[in-house]
Amino acid sequence: IGGLSLPTQQTLGTNKNNTLQVTETTVIGTKAVDETRFQFQDQRSNSSGLGLAGPTVDVQNSFISGGSPLESNYNRNRSYEVQNLLATTQGKHALKFGGRVRIGDLSTRSTSNYNGTYTFTTPQSTANGPANCNGIVNPTSLDVYAQTQKLLAQGLNTAAVQSLGCGPTAFSLNSGIPVASISQTDVGVFAQDDWRARPNLTISMGLRIETQTNIHDHFDPAPRIALSWAPRAKPGTASKTVIRVGWGRFYDRFSAGNTLQTLRFNGIAQQDYTISSTSGGATALQALAYYPNLPPVSVLNLQNQPVCKVDAHLKASYLMQSAVSIERALPHKTSLSVSIADSRGVHDARRRNINAYLPGTYNSLTQTGVVPFTGWGDIYLYENTGIYKQLQVITSVNTKVNSH
């Protein structure tokens, strides 16, 4: 509680995080090392309403009271991860092979505003004159609430209270399926070769292949190559200059949280109802006359719920990065480094409203327009049509002030 929320709005929240990590390292002969890692994480957060049952009462700019804002919400995220890495040497080659499997289970429960909310606002003057609530001219939202409670206590029903210019202004209610869960698996395998072609030249080449569930794309190759050269280096004498060049492709996995959003906001699982006396006319007054009880949804207006979808041909977004750097040793234990990195994002993920008003059709006065999908609200599509570009130039100078 706090701010404008009274004690009836208090909630109890708990958080629990558990992590288990196991590592096994095996030395194979004199040239190979195998390492296996396992990690389990369990993250849980729970919230429970401790206040009264029944609808919440929001007296704007004054206080929030009434029923608890939620019944029982939770978020549970379990993840399992196994990695294996084999490193070996063969002559001038340092070889690495490995893989990783990650499994994530995400489950949520949301009951926010499932008990409904009555809202009291400051009434506005009309062409017939200033607002009036039971004889109070130009009342505030707090005046309207106080007079409403007073008149109800005197035995008047809510309809009679409304006839005196009092009563709640609006009511909103969320309903539907409170629980949503998703499971996601991604797998990646790689091979890498660091080849010491010459004493002063090392060439690194690698390939990583990734895949995941919940999207259309199941084959994501990520090649990488790098070169490190120390010109004029001789056995027993280090070069004062080192030049490094590299290029690689790096994938960004589509998160399970995005997939969970498409399940929760699919147009069916969650439904929002609302009614307002300023726009609903006699129907709104009929619904608001149920105050302080919960009105049936048959007298409420079902709102167009925002919908989230995943593009049927969504591909995992990836970043192609090229870099070149030069390091030079200077006198007096000083070194200079200049690096240039160019990053290009391809299939960059973004969320776009595909049911926005068509160009030239929106009327700012009526706040209406023509949409591509009539009868639907906002439709947010997860797609990979974005492009990312970045060029960085980094210069650094390091100096040792002592011999340590």
Side-chain angles (χ1 to χ4, degrees), residues 92-152:
K92 296 182 179 182
H93 296 266
L95 305 174
K96 292 181 180 180
F97 306 92
R100 181 187 68 188
V101 178
R102 293 189 300 189
I103 302 174
D105 296 319
L106 181 60
S107 178
T108 66
R109 185 176 192 267
S110 177
T111 58
S112 298
N113 203 35
Y114 269 46
N115 57 331
T117 299
Y118 281 103
T119 302
F120 287 81
T121 62
T122 299
Q124 303 297 314
S125 299
T126 65
N128 297 325
N132 188 301
C133 174
N134 195 29
I136 300 178
V137 179
N138 292 324
T140 66
S141 59
L142 184 59
D143 292 330
V144 175
Y145 173 76
Q147 290 301 312
T148 299
Q149 297 302 109
K150 176 183 176 180
L151 294 172
L152 289 175

Side-chain angles (χ1 to χ4, degrees), residues 120-199:
F120 287 81
T121 62
T122 299
Q124 303 297 314
S125 299
T126 65
N128 297 325
N132 188 301
C133 174
N134 195 29
I136 300 178
V137 179
N138 292 324
T140 66
S141 59
L142 184 59
D143 292 330
V144 175
Y145 173 76
Q147 290 301 312
T148 299
Q149 297 302 109
K150 176 183 176 180
L151 294 172
L152 289 175
Q154 293 175 355
L156 277 71
N157 58 32
T158 307
V161 172
Q162 290 173 335
S163 66
L164 296 175
C166 304
T169 307
F171 178 80
S172 63
L173 174 71
N174 295 344
S175 68
I177 304 173
V179 177
S181 59
I182 190 68
S183 179
Q184 181 163 301
T185 301
D186 67 81
V187 180
V189 294
F190 77 93
Q192 179 177 314
D193 180 12
D194 295 329
W195 173 35
R196 195 173 182 84
R198 295 181 180 180

Side-chain angles (χ1 to χ4, degrees), residues 206-270:
L207 176 63
R208 184 180 184 88
I209 298 176
E210 299 180 358
T211 186
Q212 74 165 94
T213 58
N214 295 328
I215 62 174
H216 170 76
D217 183 24
H218 297 299
F219 180 72
D220 301 321
R224 301 166 192 180
I225 185 170
L227 179 148
S228 178
W229 177 44
R232 299 183 180 180
K234 298 179 182 180
T237 303
S239 173
K240 291 186 177 182
T241 303
V242 178
I243 301 174
R244 293 183 174 90
V245 179
W247 176 89
R249 179 186 294 179
F250 306 89
Y251 281 91
D252 186 15
R253 307 267 41 105
F254 188 76
S255 73
N258 292 339
T259 304
L260 187 69
Q261 286 289 90
T262 65
L263 295 179
R264 182 173 294 282
F265 299 103
N266 60 3
I268 300 174
Q270 291 285 327

Side-chain angles (χ1 to χ4, degrees), residues 63 162 290 313 327 339 357:
F63 64 86
Q162 290 173 335
Y290 282 88
H313 301 288
E327 298 178 14
S339 303
Y357 295 119

Side-chain angles (χ1 to χ4, degrees), residues 333-366:
K333 300 177 183 178
T334 301
S335 63
L336 172 66
S337 174
V338 179
S339 303
I340 301 175
D342 179 73
S343 303
R344 301 295 178 98
V346 180
H347 302 308
D348 215 35
R350 66 171 184 166
R351 195 177 74 162
R352 180 172 63 92
N353 184 7
I354 61 174
N355 204 30
Y357 295 119
L358 295 175
T361 66
Y362 180 71
N363 187 323
S364 59
L365 296 179
T366 61

